[in-house]
């Protein structure tokens, strides 16, 4: 069965939500537009037979994502996402990241400690760097312990835009304010 998808437009590009066609749709992933690859093109590289589709649950999720991208406060349900695609450690990291409230941040090291692996900051970064649900699980809320932004699959410009959308102003040196850290 080929993948079904909905694309949500956004100023820096678009976000394509995809799932396995059929009933009881749950999100398999979200793809961002990246330099050199629109989100739909990236999906077609995964599944050339992927087709736009209508599904009430996915249409509602796409609507919530569009509202979030307009600056509205939206919390995405993990129940809509197929987290089972991820290993146990990545699932713990993604759940911890999902629990960081809008307008707050954490560091890779703090998340590592929170999930019971205090020396695994780099592994946390890797788990977030391969997050199949970017924005929905807000990996942009993780930064380095000194507030420097670290990386982001969508690029640092997108990370800055997402943080600004959530009301996080960066310091004059480009770092995030560490007084917004949780965990």
């Amino acid at each position: 069965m080929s993948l079904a998808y909905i694309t949500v437009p956004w100023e820096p590009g678009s976000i394509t939500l995809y799932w396995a066609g059929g009933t009881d749709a749950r999100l398999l992933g979200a793809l961002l537009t990246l330099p050199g690859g629109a989100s739909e093109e990236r999906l077609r590289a995964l599944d050339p037979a992927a087709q736009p589709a209508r599904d009430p649950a996915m249409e509602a999720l796409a609507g919530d994502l569009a509202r979030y991208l307009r600056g509205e406060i939206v919390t995405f349900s993990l129940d809509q996402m197929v987290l089972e695609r991820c290993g146990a450690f990545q699932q713990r990291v993604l759940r911890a990241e999902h629990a960081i409230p809008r307008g707050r941040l954490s560091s890779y090291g703090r998340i590592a400690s929170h999930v019971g692996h205090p020396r695994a900051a780099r592994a946390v970064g890797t788990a977030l760097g391969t997050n199949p649900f970017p924005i929905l699980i807000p990996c942009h809320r993780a930064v380095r312990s000194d507030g420097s932004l670290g990386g982001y699959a969508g690029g640092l410009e997108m990370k800055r835009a997402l943080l600004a959308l959530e009301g996080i102003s960066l310091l004059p040196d480009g770092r995030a304010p560490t007084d917004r850290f949780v965990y």
Side-chain angles (χ1 to χ4, degrees), residues 62-151:
D64 288 345
L65 180 57
R67 287 187 12 250
Y68 169 84
L69 295 170
R70 288 192 303 267
E72 295 180 36
I73 297 173
V74 176
T75 301
F76 300 98
S77 171
L78 291 175
D79 293 338
Q80 294 178 288
M81 303 172 213
V82 183
L83 283 176
E84 308 85 72
R85 296 182 63 209
C86 305
F89 177 78
Q90 186 177 29
Q91 284 185 48
R92 287 195 305 276
V93 169
L94 294 176
R95 288 179 189 284
E97 189 71 21
H98 184 264
I100 298 171
R102 179 188 179 100
R104 301 299 299 267
L105 305 163
S106 195
S107 71
Y108 302 109
R110 285 175 180 241
I111 294 167
S113 292
H114 182 74
V115 300
H117 296 276
R119 297 179 185 209
R122 286 187 180 194
V124 166
T126 299
L128 294 175
T130 57
N131 172 9
F133 311 102
I135 301 177
L136 304 165
I137 295 180
C139 50
H140 57 275
R141 295 179 188 159
V143 299
R144 293 182 178 150
S145 61
D146 68 354
S148 59
L149 295 185

Side-chain angles (χ1 to χ4, degrees), residues 26-44:
R26 287 178 60 219
L27 192 66
L28 292 173
L31 295 171
L32 306 173
T33 291
L34 301 176
S39 61
E40 286 183 23
E41 292 171 8
R42 296 182 62 221
L43 179 63
R44 286 205 178 82

Side-chain angles (χ1 to χ4, degrees), residues 13-59:
S14 61
I15 302 155
T16 296
L17 306 176
Y18 65 94
W19 65 95
T23 58
D24 298 326
R26 287 178 60 219
L27 192 66
L28 292 173
L31 295 171
L32 306 173
T33 291
L34 301 176
S39 61
E40 286 183 23
E41 292 171 8
R42 296 182 62 221
L43 179 63
R44 286 205 178 82
L46 291 174
D47 180 1
Q51 294 293 318
R54 297 185 62 99
D55 176 89
M58 292 298 114
E59 288 174 350

